[in-house]
């Protein structure tokens, strides 16, 4: 049976697993499989393998292919698998084709490496990437890949491009993108892709962006599920309480170190199990006291859930 189009399957909590490394520095596929399996069993609506949280930047192409294939095998068609693809156009196309060979359902197009391109260059880059495989593409807006509304409209007209994930946090720009695409009678999926998307979830929902990636789901899926349920059902009491006692302090803790959007998450996954190993250079491990502080925050979040009966 042919699976439904990717756009129709991305509804719910989006899981961005970390990539597991063994003590010798190699990819630990067994631990990665266990992490992916646990996420799917915890209720993930999709698995975004080898993306930002999964240290795409640190993976060799062969490692990337093996991890994507492992994620596809572990999900067994229960939820879609979306794989990262990035760097310059030639390498992005290579990663895209490896992802397609591994059985992925779609691609998250990471920002191009190093250069700051103009709008015409970005459009050409994503258009060529979308044409390289049969996989649907979600464009990740952040850092050096910022889209003008007119470029977003052109992307919406491009076969194979189904969405934009926003990691920039400029709500004014996102509102103009949503409006420009809608005014042309076109459709795109929009995702809140900030490192702790729950903190800005209510604001993004105000402009019609309801999908988001949850790094918290990697290490505290119960908290992530409760927040998602509260946000989607209009339970403002639970949303506000979790923001106050967990998500806002988490964002403030994350700001204490460079690379903590990945390394702190990975350390938390290790504490909760399975042992997914350290981050690869150029990232560094978070300070032990910051990991301890995150563990306490998780306890606070769970205590709030018990008090709320959520």
């Amino acid at each position: 049976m042919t699976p439904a189009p990717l756009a129709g399957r991305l509804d719910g909590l989006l899981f961005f697993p970390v990539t597991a490394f063994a003590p010798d520095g190699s990819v630990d596929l067994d631990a990665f499989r266990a992490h992916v399996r646990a996420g799917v069993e915890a209720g993930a609506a999709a698995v975004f393998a080898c993306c930002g949280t999964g240290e795409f930047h640190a993976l060799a192409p062969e490692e990337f292919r093996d991890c994507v294939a492992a994620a596809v095998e572990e999900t067994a068609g229960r939820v879609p698998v979306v794989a990262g693809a990035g760097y310059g156009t030639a390498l992005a196309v290579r990663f895209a084709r490896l992802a397609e060979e591994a059985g992925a359902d779609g691609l998250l197009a990471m920002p191009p490496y190093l250069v700051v391109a103009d709008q015409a260059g970005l459009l050409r880059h994503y258009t060529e990437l979308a044409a390289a495989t049969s996989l649907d593409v979600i464009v990740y807006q952040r850092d050096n890949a910022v889209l003008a509304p007119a470029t977003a409209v052109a992307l919406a007209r491009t076969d194979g491009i189904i969405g934009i994930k926003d990691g920039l946090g400029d709500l004014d720009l996102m509102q103009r993108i949503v409006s420009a695409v809608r005014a042309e009678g076109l459709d795109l999926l929009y995702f809140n892709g900030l490192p702790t998307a729950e903190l800005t979830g209510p604001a993004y929902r105000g402009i019609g962006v309801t999908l988001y990636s949850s790094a918290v789901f990697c290490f505290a899926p119960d908290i992530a599920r409760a927040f998602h349920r509260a946000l989607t059902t209009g339970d403002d009491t639970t949303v506000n309480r979790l923001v106050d006692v967990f998500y806002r302090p988490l964002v403030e803790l994350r700001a204490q170190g460079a690379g903590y959007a990945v390394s702190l998450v990975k350390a938390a996954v290790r504490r909760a199990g399975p042992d997914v190993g350290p981050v690869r250079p150029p990232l560094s491990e978070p300070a032990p006291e910051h990991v301890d502080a995150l563990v306490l925050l998780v306890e606070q979040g769970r205590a709030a859930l018990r008090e709320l009966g959520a």
Side-chain angles (χ1 to χ4, degrees):
M1 183 174 66
T2 302
L6 179 61
R9 301 174 69 194
L10 294 174
D11 184 20
L13 275 168
L14 308 180
F15 174 34
F16 284 66
V18 301
T19 300
F21 299 125
D24 66 358
S26 63
V27 170
D28 186 340
L29 286 177
D30 289 340
F32 178 69
R33 286 175 179 275
H35 181 44
V36 170
R37 186 164 58 250
V40 174
E41 292 171 352
V47 174
F48 282 67
C50 304
C51 296
T53 308
E55 296 179 81
F56 171 79
H57 67 276
L59 296 174
E62 298 78 12
E63 295 173 324
F64 167 87
R65 177 199 59 216
D66 291 346
C67 286
V68 174
V72 169
E73 290 172 7
E74 285 299 328
T75 58
R78 290 174 289 173
V79 298
V81 174
V82 179
Y87 302 115
T89 305
L91 270 177
V93 165
R94 182 182 178 192
F95 278 100
R97 289 174 176 162
L98 288 171
E100 185 172 38
E101 292 170 10
D105 299 285
L107 301 169
L108 178 63
M110 313 291 278
Y113 172 68
L114 190 62
V115 297
V116 177
D118 61 13
Q119 295 297 299
L122 288 173
L123 181 59
R124 182 181 174 189
H125 172 75
Y126 295 122
T127 299
E128 290 187 14
L129 178 59
T133 74
S134 64
L135 300 180
D136 288 332
V137 177
I138 300 163
V139 174
Y140 194 0
Q141 169 171 265
R142 58 175 292 171
D143 300 326
N144 59 329
V146 178
L147 306 171
T151 305
V153 169
L155 291 174
R157 297 186 190 280
T158 302
D159 288 342
I161 294 180
I162 65 167
I164 296 172
K165 178 185 178 186
D166 180 54
L168 186 66
D170 184 337
L171 284 172
D172 177 88
L173 174 59
M174 278 305 297
Q175 177 67 87
R176 288 186 289 120
I177 285 174
V178 171
S179 174
V181 172
R182 182 176 59 226
E184 293 297 319
L186 301 169
D187 290 314
L188 282 175
L189 294 178
Y190 301 100
F191 305 77
N192 175 356
L194 292 173
T196 303
E198 288 92 343
L199 187 65
T200 53
Y204 270 84
R205 289 185 75 83
I207 62 170
V209 180
T210 59
L211 294 168
Y212 65 87
S213 54
S214 176
V216 170
F217 187 83
C218 285
F219 60 87
D222 51 339
I223 296 175
R225 285 195 311 268
F227 183 89
H228 183 265
R229 183 169 57 250
L231 188 63
T232 55
T233 60
D235 180 359
D236 291 340
T237 298
T238 299
V239 166
N240 292 338
R241 183 67 182 282
L242 287 176
V243 165
D244 291 348
V245 305
F246 179 74
Y247 286 105
R248 176 184 53 80
L250 173 59
V251 168
E252 292 169 351
L253 178 62
R254 194 190 66 224
Q256 298 301 306
Y260 272 19
V262 176
S263 63
L264 194 61
V265 170
K266 198 166 193 180
V269 174
R270 286 198 304 271
R271 286 286 187 99
D275 185 354
V276 291
V279 290
R280 278 182 172 174
L283 294 179
S284 297
E285 289 300 303
E289 61 269 24
H290 291 156
V291 180
D292 292 340
L294 179 53
V295 171
L296 289 176
L297 280 181
V298 171
E299 292 175 1
Q300 286 180 197
R302 287 175 174 153
L305 292 181
R306 289 192 295 272
E307 292 168 9
L308 291 163

